[in-house]
């Protein structure tokens, strides 16, 4: 819930590190995507519960994104990579 509160209250946020926050869910990351459109960098290393739904929303909602770390996010597939690629085209 605290990540959701950050997303709702910090619309000018440009960088967030959630690496090793093992309980981070799609709901939290989707709220970040919706509430933090200025985001340029996000670290989601070891956020083992997130899926492509999170990354797709980040790609849609954060057009200024330049760095995303998805190491050890085992539920992420090529769908996420495709969404991110579309964001850079």
């Amino acid at each position: 819930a605290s990540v959701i509160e950050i997303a709702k209250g910090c619309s000018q946020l440009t960088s967030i590190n959630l690496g090793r926050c093992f309980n981070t869910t799609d709901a939290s990351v989707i709220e970040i995507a919706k509430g933090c459109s200025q985001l340029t960098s996000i670290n989601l290393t070891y956020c083992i519960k997130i899926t492509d739904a999170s990354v797709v929303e980040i790609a849609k909602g954060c057009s200024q994104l330049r760095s995303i770390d998805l190491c050890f996010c085992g539920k992420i597939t090529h769908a996420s990579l495709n969404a991110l690629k579309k964001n850079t085209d």
Side-chain angles (χ1 to χ4, degrees):
S2 57
V3 173
I4 291 173
E5 294 304 315
I6 290 170
K8 290 180 179 177
C10 301
S11 62
Q12 299 300 311
L13 191 71
T14 59
S15 180
I16 190 165
N17 183 349
L18 297 174
R20 295 187 181 267
C21 293
F22 303 108
N23 290 319
T24 300
T25 64
D26 283 335
S28 296
V29 178
I30 289 169
E31 286 301 317
I32 289 169
K34 291 178 180 177
C36 304
S37 62
Q38 303 299 310
L39 206 64
T40 60
S41 175
I42 186 167
N43 181 349
L44 298 169
T45 302
Y46 283 105
C47 291
I48 58 176
K49 294 183 178 182
I50 66 166
T51 68
D52 291 328
S54 292
V55 181
V56 168
E57 289 302 315
I58 288 283
K60 283 186 203 174
C62 304
S63 62
Q64 297 181 39
L65 189 72
R66 295 296 167 251
S67 174
I68 185 168
D69 193 335
L70 298 168
C71 290
F72 304 104
C73 295
K75 296 181 179 180
I76 302 301
T77 71
H78 286 280
S80 289
L81 302 178
N82 290 337
L84 291 166
K85 183 182 180 312
K86 286 180 187 175
N87 188 34
T88 62
D89 287 345

